Amino acid sequence: MTPTLTAPVPRNHPDELVVGFVSISDRASSGTYQDEGIPALRDWFGKVLTSPWQAVERLIPDEAPLISRTLIELVDVAGCDLVLTTGGTGPARRDVTPEATLAVGTKEMPGFGEQMRQVSLQFVPTAILSRQVAVIRETPSRAALIVNLPGQPKAIRETLEGLRDVEGRVAVQGVFAAVPYCIDLIGGPYIETDATIVKAFRPKSAVRKTPGPTV
């Protein structure tokens, strides 16, 4: 069972992103092997985000009702603006993450899954077996983006970050470049990134000017 929060996670800054990391695995949640999904996400976010953030983490088995309850808890109770899941998105019978995610969403965001498969297809033809989805979950007072990611750390980084050519130019765009503006549009905090890893894309009208030095 997941812990029950009775109040939102307190923010240390008005623009602090609260992000949920959910690793979904029968074996990792039972202690058969060590989870790699959450550490990979924690490490990647620590490198890419230059604006304030904090994480709420959950390690749970491949049980659809529990996955849905966990996503609801992280958005509705903990107050996450973004929730990323890893694992459980293949065709195996125990892979139920997409179904559990769709069950709690109010809007589907199909471009995320489409682009993640495009990234993975650069490496393996079995990328077409991946069923990652993304949704917006809306409540009367707020909304959050929920995205399914692959389970392997290398694939997590590639789908978030994208692929670069030998000269360092972005060859295949990762999905995280669109996340900050999506969070803007649903009323969340303003996310800033290290552009050498992922350059957040926003229309010029949506870019905040960095305050200059006071004289």
Side-chain angles (χ1 to χ4, degrees):
M1 297 294 292
T2 59
T4 300
L5 297 176
T6 57
V9 174
R11 298 175 194 261
N12 300 310
H13 183 278
D15 269 340
E16 183 173 54
L17 175 74
V18 179
V19 55
F21 297 151
V22 185
S23 188
I24 300 162
S25 168
D26 287 333
R27 290 183 294 171
S29 63
S30 67
T32 303
Y33 71 78
Q34 187 170 3
D35 173 60
E36 296 181 338
I38 289 175
L41 285 168
R42 194 187 306 126
D43 179 67
W44 191 83
F45 268 71
K47 293 175 181 175
V48 76
L49 291 189
T50 59
S51 51
W53 70 283
Q54 61 171 305
V56 183
E57 301 172 357
R58 298 285 184 267
L59 175 59
I60 59 175
D62 293 276
E63 299 287 351
L66 178 57
I67 296 168
S68 291
R69 287 200 305 271
T70 301
L71 298 178
I72 291 170
E73 176 230 340
L74 289 173
V75 175
D76 297 13
V77 182
C80 291
D81 311 290
L82 172 66
V83 178
L84 301 176
T85 73
T86 74
T89 59
R93 293 193 177 207
R94 292 289 293 174
D95 290 335
V96 294
T97 301
E99 289 75 18
T101 302
L102 291 170
V104 304
T106 52
K107 288 187 177 77
E108 188 174 358
M109 304 292 287
F112 282 91
E114 293 166 2
Q115 188 59 23
M116 283 189 280
R117 284 182 280 277
Q118 284 298 314
V119 172
S120 297
L121 276 168
Q122 307 301 311
F123 300 98
V124 291
T126 51
I128 61 174
L129 302 180
S130 297
R131 302 185 304 113
Q132 292 102 323
V133 301
V135 300
I136 303 293
R137 177 171 173 80
E138 299 162 304
T139 72
S141 60
R142 55 188 314 281
L145 173 65
I146 304 172
V147 183
N148 299 156
L149 297 174
Q152 297 300 316
K154 181 175 181 290
I156 291 171
R157 178 181 59 78
E158 289 165 349
T159 53
L160 289 170
E161 195 171 315
L163 307 175
R164 295 180 182 268
D165 61 23
V166 293
E167 296 179 355
R169 295 173 298 198
V170 176
V172 182
Q173 191 68 253
V175 298
F176 198 79
V179 167
Y181 187 49
C182 181
I183 299 297
D184 291 350
L185 292 173
I186 62 176
Y190 191 85
I191 304 170
E192 297 181 277
T193 64
D194 181 341
T196 64
I197 302 174
V198 172
K199 181 176 175 58
F201 178 82
R202 289 179 171 96
K204 290 183 179 179
S205 60
V207 176
R208 289 187 188 176
K209 293 183 179 179
T210 304
T214 56
V215 179

